[in-house]
Amino acid sequence: MTIKNFDQLEAHLSQTTTRKRVAIVWAEDESTQFAAARALKAGFIEAIFIGCQEQLRQLDALKPYADHITYIQADEKDQAAATAVQMAKTGQVDIIMKGLINTDNLLKAVLNKETGILPKGNVLTHVTTAHIPNYDRLLLFTDAAVIPCPTREQRIEQVKYIAQLSRAMGVQEPKIALIHCTEKVNEKHFPFTVEYRELAQMAADGAFGPCIVDGPLDIKTACNLHSMETKGIKSPIHGEANAVIFPDIQAGNVFYKTLTLWAGAQTAGILQGPLVPVVTPSRSDSTECKFYSLAVAAML
Amino acid sequence: MTIKNFDQLEAHLSQTTTRKRVAIVWAEDESTQFAAARALKAGFIEAIFIGCQEQLRQLDALKPYADHITYIQADEKDQAAATAVQMAKTGQVDIIMKGLINTDNLLKAVLNKETGILPKGNVLTHVTTAHIPNYDRLLLFTDAAVIPCPTREQRIEQVKYIAQLSRAMGVQEPKIALIHCTEKVNEKHFPFTVEYRELAQMAADGAFGPCIVDGPLDIKTACNLHSMETKGIKSPIHGEANAVIFPDIQAGNVFYKTLTLWAGAQTAGILQGPLVPVVTPSRSDSTECKFYSLAVAAML
């Protein structure tokens, strides 16, 4: 079943019988607590709260789900992060979620060369899943938050991860567009457009599993058939991209913020690349955004 | 009077008594013809049609405005472009507008080192004026179309032009935000953020006339006070930017296309830098967009 919006995602996860084990690091803030409670209610996680246990044990919102909650002692935030990462490394948790700890501090533990969980050759990249009113499918995109300007190798990993996540969300053969401001390859000013053609060929050769990759395409051509036809462009993306890769963090970040500020989009964000997906919402994100982020991570 | 949307812009121009002289290059397409007719009806242009005169003389839409129309013979498109540029150079027209000619061909005439109209030291940059539902003012931004990755000197010119256009639109002291994905200066990965601080200082020192420049700011912080306050950012932009400068064409282009595809925005685009503003809408732009572009150019 293809998940087309966040309601369908929640309904789907409510019906699954397996639970993902989620290490929740320093859940001192209400929105993290309520996001976890909602996932416990839907029945798709086992919550392992690391730190803040005295506070959490008192919470009415969590009491009904005591059978599916474990509390682990941690005296301070960095220690909680290290414990979560160590549990992921030893296969004891399937997802790491950030509570009230700075993302940088959590990532320091994730990326630690000796004790961390980013396998050699993997790349840490941020993938957003967006529900945009008037778009008939979820749109996945990378990278609004982590990699400033992807190298060829990093972009290959980004395509791999986003194809994997799209399929996990039920899209059998995801259409992945490589974004540029036009459809023209321009080696002189935009050398990455040459790499785009190479990535499309790699995809056609099966390097990323079932998926269709094409580019350079602009975001409008990638997501709107009418724009594609008006411009006289032919692309197997067909104006119905399931996922898009942005050329740099500036474009990805502007896209993310414009969607949420002015297009009424709902979003979920996860980090891919580490042994387990890592959910690192901003402090200011809503309970809903944190819940959806956890839900998307649970699909992997 | 501050122009806050395109209706106000049209109303304002309908009341002015002066007319801008507009060279319209090869107006073979309906949307250019109707945009010109609407501007003639509103009474703020004298139209100088270069090329296509047999066709244009037959048009009912233009007949009522014959007193304010001049036709100039041109056998082919490049010749029409050269004539328009030559008329701008000799002070005979105030605006150049593109009809059915490739933008590249028109720009070749504009940028010609000997016969063109880009003064030494000036920079050709694309400025969009957007009306976004739920934003209480017009938002000007650069550059979605021309400069791939502005140098320090190019960015200084961009601030200068956009401040000038904002003031021409009636904003006495425009707030101009310099966009980045965060509010942190990061010399290592994003050297332009250091230049941003320098631009803010130049503005404070009066280099750009009356205006407030600040950055790095993200697009959401720049245009939404609540986001600014949630993040604990202090900025004189105060979440109410009149204009934003994007770090590169990728970010500007994604912004432009996301606004029009998913945020219901109306836009107008002009090129600043040459002796006269140049209006170069896409072939696929609506009559309305072409009219608004001409209207914005007429404010300069």
Side-chain angles (χ1 to χ4, degrees):
Chain A
M1 179 204 165
T2 306
I3 308 288
K4 294 198 164 185
N5 56 52
F6 288 125
D7 287 341
Q8 287 182 6
L9 176 62
E10 186 170 10
H12 172 82
L13 286 167
S14 298
Q15 287 163 11
T16 56
T17 50
T18 56
R19 287 172 182 265
K20 297 283 186 172
R21 298 160 302 168
V22 185
I24 307 174
V25 180
W26 212 265
E28 198 180 354
D29 59 308
E30 273 199 353
S31 55
T32 302
Q33 294 159 5
F34 284 114
R38 187 163 160 188
L40 284 160
K41 186 178 180 195
F44 65 87
I45 70 163
E46 298 278 340
I48 298 112
F49 287 107
I50 307 180
C52 313
Q53 65 167 302
E54 289 76 23
Q55 178 193 352
L56 294 165
R57 280 182 192 279
Q58 307 304 318
L59 279 184
D60 287 339
L62 294 174
K63 282 181 185 164
Y65 317 110
D67 290 355
H68 298 287
I69 297 176
T70 308
Y71 295 102
I72 293 183
Q73 169 69 25
D75 295 331
E76 44 86 38
K77 296 179 181 187
D78 286 347
Q79 187 200 337
T83 303
V85 167
Q86 195 263 334
M87 290 183 80
K89 203 175 176 87
T90 52
Q92 297 173 75
V93 299
D94 308 301
I95 296 168
I96 293 175
M97 183 176 187
K98 155 178 132 66
L100 208 60
I101 171 175
N102 283 331
T103 301
D104 287 352
N105 290 42
L106 177 56
L107 289 187
K108 203 187 275 182
V110 167
L111 298 177
N112 185 293
K113 287 239 164 57
E114 284 167 24
T115 58
I117 50 171
L118 189 72
K120 202 167 146 55
N122 279 27
V123 161
L124 188 79
T125 188
H126 185 270
V127 179
T128 309
T129 300
H131 174 253
I132 308 164
N134 301 322
Y135 197 53
D136 73 344
R137 59 197 63 211
L138 289 171
L139 183 65
L140 278 57
F141 61 91
T142 186
D143 179 332
V146 175
I147 304 177
C149 200
T151 61
R152 178 178 171 281
E153 288 66 33
Q154 287 173 324
R155 203 170 272 120
I156 290 172
E157 294 299 299
Q158 288 181 326
V159 174
K160 196 159 80 183
Y161 301 151
I162 217 163
Q164 186 190 352
L165 181 59
S166 289
R167 288 191 296 262
M169 300 285 277
V171 183
Q172 293 189 344
E173 194 178 39
K175 293 176 175 165
I176 303 171
L178 308 171
I179 302 299
H180 178 44
C181 53
T182 78
E183 280 69 39
K184 287 181 199 143
V185 172
N186 179 336
E187 186 167 8
K188 186 177 163 207
H189 287 111
F190 306 104
F192 63 82
T193 56
V194 178
E195 293 170 19
Y196 279 5
R197 300 306 312 148
E198 190 191 342
L199 279 167
Q201 187 56 51
M202 285 174 70
D205 294 343
F208 308 112
C211 64
I212 295 168
V213 175
D214 195 31
L217 291 172
D218 78 32
I219 185 70
K220 211 164 170 176
T221 308
C223 298
N224 184 268
L225 184 58
H226 177 71
S227 299
M228 193 186 110
E229 290 177 341
T230 306
K231 286 178 100 172
I233 305 294
K234 289 206 191 312
S235 165
I237 301 297
H238 205 246
E240 47 192 24
N242 300 102
V244 299
I245 312 275
F246 285 105
D248 63 27
I249 196 172
Q250 304 296 345
N253 195 268
V254 161
F255 185 65
Y256 175 74
K257 284 165 180 166
T258 306
L259 280 187
T260 51
L261 183 57
W262 282 316
Q266 295 173 306
T267 59
I270 65 169
L271 294 174
Q272 283 184 270
L275 289 176
V276 303
V278 180
V279 182
T280 56
S282 300
R283 193 171 299 215
S284 60
D285 282 339
S286 64
T287 297
E288 201 156 61
C289 172
K290 292 183 184 181
F291 170 72
Y292 292 144
S293 299
L294 186 51
V296 168
M299 296 296 287
L300 272 171
Chain B
M1 179 204 166
T2 305
I3 307 289
K4 292 198 165 187
N5 56 52
F6 288 125
D7 286 343
Q8 287 182 6
L9 176 61
E10 187 171 8
H12 172 81
L13 286 168
S14 297
Q15 287 163 12
T16 56
T17 50
T18 55
R19 289 171 181 264
K20 299 282 186 175
R21 299 160 300 168
V22 186
I24 308 175
V25 180
W26 212 266
E28 197 179 357
D29 59 310
E30 272 200 354
S31 54
T32 301
Q33 293 159 4
F34 284 113
R38 188 163 159 187
L40 284 160
K41 187 178 179 193
F44 64 87
I45 70 165
E46 297 279 339
I48 298 111
F49 288 106
I50 307 179
C52 311
Q53 64 166 303
E54 289 76 24
Q55 178 194 352
L56 293 165
R57 280 183 192 277
Q58 307 304 319
L59 279 184
D60 288 337
L62 294 175
K63 283 181 184 164
Y65 316 111
D67 290 353
H68 298 287
I69 297 176
T70 309
Y71 295 101
I72 293 183
Q73 169 69 24
D75 294 332
E76 44 86 36
K77 296 180 180 187
D78 287 346
Q79 187 202 336
T83 302
V85 166
Q86 195 263 334
M87 290 182 80
K89 205 176 175 89
T90 51
Q92 298 172 74
V93 300
D94 307 301
I95 297 169
I96 293 175
M97 183 176 187
K98 154 179 131 69
L100 207 60
I101 171 176
N102 283 331
T103 301
D104 287 352
N105 289 42
L106 177 56
L107 289 186
K108 202 186 277 180
V110 168
L111 299 175
N112 185 294
K113 288 238 162 60
E114 284 166 25
T115 58
I117 51 171
L118 189 72
K120 202 166 146 54
N122 278 26
V123 161
L124 188 78
T125 187
H126 186 270
V127 179
T128 309
T129 300
H131 174 253
I132 308 165
N134 302 321
Y135 198 53
D136 72 344
R137 58 196 63 212
L138 288 172
L139 184 65
L140 278 56
F141 62 92
T142 185
D143 179 331
V146 175
I147 304 178
C149 200
T151 61
R152 177 179 170 284
E153 286 67 33
Q154 288 174 324
R155 202 170 273 119
I156 289 172
E157 294 298 300
Q158 287 181 326
V159 174
K160 196 160 80 184
Y161 301 151
I162 217 163
Q164 185 191 354
L165 182 59
S166 289
R167 288 191 296 262
M169 301 284 278
V171 184
Q172 291 189 345
E173 194 179 40
K175 295 177 173 164
I176 303 171
L178 308 171
I179 303 300
H180 178 43
C181 54
T182 79
E183 280 70 38
K184 287 179 198 143
V185 172
N186 180 335
E187 187 168 9
K188 186 178 163 206
H189 287 111
F190 305 105
F192 62 82
T193 56
V194 178
E195 293 170 18
Y196 279 6
R197 299 306 312 147
E198 190 192 342
L199 280 168
Q201 188 55 52
M202 285 174 70
D205 295 342
F208 308 112
C211 64
I212 295 167
V213 175
D214 195 31
L217 292 171
D218 79 32
I219 184 70
K220 212 164 169 174
T221 306
C223 298
N224 184 267
L225 183 59
H226 177 71
S227 299
M228 194 186 109
E229 291 177 342
T230 305
K231 287 178 101 171
I233 306 293
K234 289 207 191 312
S235 165
I237 301 297
H238 204 248
E240 46 193 25
N242 299 104
V244 299
I245 310 276
F246 286 105
D248 63 28
I249 197 173
Q250 303 297 343
N253 194 268
V254 161
F255 185 66
Y256 175 74
K257 284 167 181 165
T258 305
L259 280 187
T260 49
L261 184 56
W262 282 317
Q266 294 172 306
T267 60
I270 65 168
L271 294 173
Q272 284 184 270
L275 289 176
V276 302
V278 180
V279 182
T280 56
S282 300
R283 192 170 300 215
S284 60
D285 282 338
S286 63
T287 296
E288 203 156 60
C289 172
K290 292 182 184 181
F291 170 72
Y292 292 144
S293 300
L294 185 51
V296 169
M299 297 296 288
L300 272 171

